[in-house]
Amino acid sequence: MKKLSTLMLAVCSTIVFAQKVSDYKYVSVPEKFETFKEDYDLKNFFTKALTGKKYVVLPIIKDNWPADAKMNYCNVVTADILNEKSLFKNKLIIQFKDCNNNLILESKGSSNIKELEEGAQDALKQAVTKIPISNPVALLPASTNGQSTSPEPVVTVASTAAPEANSYTNGKLDVQKIQIDANQFILAKSGSSVPFAVFKTTSKNSVFIVKLADGNTTIGYFENGSIVMDIPQADGRYSKEVFTAK
């Protein structure tokens, strides 16, 4: 019974949303965790833990970010540590959010150690064990991030030749298929360069890793001349979205 309770606690203390943290390579960590009065060496421990899980923790100054992070913020997941105040325990929550401020993972940790510094570090050790190892999917192409905190991933096609563009519809939305290069294409809303979905080739012919505009990652494929995607739903299931040629 004790083992079962421990297992249930571990499952309940980590909430995982549709988009996976492990899909990301880059993590942005704030200079200060605002809900803590002091640092308690949490940032140093957290940064080392993320690095150990193969994430790249970005510097505070965005000008020093790698090009593929700086040119499209949606390639970066933002992490924060929140102090969950409790009378008898040190508790905290690690949160990861995407470029649209959607919560994609929340992991909790607690400690019976009452001293603030030691207890906070002990709680953080518990919480970071539930963060998966980075296994990044294909990065989104560059965008004009501008000054927006939630930028739209705008693709600029850098080519002297006109890109291939074919019209498709699912009955509700009209899109154009724009071939960026031999390994990727986008579906963009008609008359716009803003991608509805970015397709990257895989080792299997006609099967693609797809990055959706809302940050979710799924698969896509060709079927009888149509473009098909598995769209994640709120209940964890997938629906079949079919775009047929016009």
Side-chain angles (χ1 to χ4, degrees), residues 98-242:
D98 65 14
C99 63
N100 295 309
N101 206 37
N102 296 315
L103 186 63
I104 57 176
L105 186 141
E106 185 175 89
S107 183
K108 297 183 178 182
S110 66
S111 174
N112 291 322
I113 301 173
K114 295 183 179 180
E115 290 75 12
L116 288 176
E117 182 168 354
E118 189 177 352
Q121 291 179 10
D122 186 50
L124 182 57
K125 288 178 183 177
Q126 292 185 30
V128 298
T129 61
K130 302 155 193 169
I131 299 172
I133 294 173
S134 175
N135 183 26
V137 298
L139 297 175
L140 287 171
S143 74
T144 55
N145 285 307
Q147 302 301 316
S148 173
T149 55
S150 299
E152 292 181 320
V154 180
V155 172
T156 301
V157 180
S159 175
T160 56
E164 176 191 349
N166 299 307
S167 297
Y168 291 80
T169 184
N170 64 353
K172 299 173 290 184
L173 177 67
D174 293 335
V175 296
Q176 283 188 315
K177 175 180 175 287
I178 303 175
Q179 194 75 38
I180 304 300
D181 55 37
N183 297 314
Q184 64 177 330
F185 68 87
I186 68 172
L187 291 185
K189 295 179 182 179
S190 292
S192 171
S193 61
V194 177
F196 170 75
V198 180
F199 289 69
K200 293 250 184 175
T201 56
T202 66
S203 59
K204 186 174 178 60
N205 187 36
S206 295
V207 176
F208 303 86
I209 296 292
V210 182
K211 191 82 168 183
L212 301 173
D214 62 6
N216 284 322
T217 301
T218 185
I219 63 168
Y221 53 93
F222 292 123
E223 184 178 75
N224 299 324
S226 298
I227 300 174
V228 182
M229 288 180 288
D230 286 340
I231 304 296
Q233 304 300 305
D235 61 1
R237 299 181 182 182
Y238 288 82
S239 66
K240 184 177 180 180
E241 193 78 41
V242 181

Side-chain angles (χ1 to χ4, degrees), residues 14-183:
T14 301
I15 304 174
V16 182
F17 297 83
Q19 174 76 352
K20 296 182 294 182
V21 170
S22 58
D23 290 344
Y24 289 87
K25 174 181 178 181
Y26 298 115
V27 181
S28 175
V29 178
E31 188 171 8
K32 179 183 177 182
F33 301 122
E34 295 295 339
T35 57
F36 285 88
K37 293 181 179 180
E38 297 181 33
D39 179 72
Y40 303 125
D41 204 34
L42 295 179
K43 183 172 181 179
N44 181 51
F45 179 87
F46 188 45
T47 299
K48 288 181 178 178
L50 290 174
T51 302
K53 291 177 179 284
K54 301 183 180 180
Y55 294 93
V56 176
V57 179
L58 298 172
I60 296 298
I61 301 174
K62 289 184 172 65
D63 287 344
N64 297 330
W65 284 12
D68 48 3
K70 184 165 56 177
M71 298 303 292
N72 197 324
Y73 296 161
C74 289
N75 287 324
V76 180
V77 65
T78 301
D80 198 4
I81 300 176
L82 308 178
N83 185 7
E84 189 176 23
K85 294 182 179 180
S86 174
L87 290 175
F88 305 107
K89 292 185 177 183
N90 273 295
K91 294 183 176 181
L92 54 76
I93 305 171
I94 300 173
Q95 290 186 342
F96 290 86
K97 295 183 178 181
D98 65 14
C99 63
N100 295 309
N101 206 37
N102 296 315
L103 186 63
I104 57 176
L105 186 141
E106 185 175 89
S107 183
K108 297 183 178 182
S110 66
S111 174
N112 291 322
I113 301 173
K114 295 183 179 180
E115 290 75 12
L116 288 176
E117 182 168 354
E118 189 177 352
Q121 291 179 10
D122 186 50
L124 182 57
K125 288 178 183 177
Q126 292 185 30
V128 298
T129 61
K130 302 155 193 169
I131 299 172
I133 294 173
S134 175
N135 183 26
V137 298
L139 297 175
L140 287 171
S143 74
T144 55
N145 285 307
Q147 302 301 316
S148 173
T149 55
S150 299
E152 292 181 320
V154 180
V155 172
T156 301
V157 180
S159 175
T160 56
E164 176 191 349
N166 299 307
S167 297
Y168 291 80
T169 184
N170 64 353
K172 299 173 290 184
L173 177 67
D174 293 335
V175 296
Q176 283 188 315
K177 175 180 175 287
I178 303 175
Q179 194 75 38
I180 304 300
D181 55 37
N183 297 314

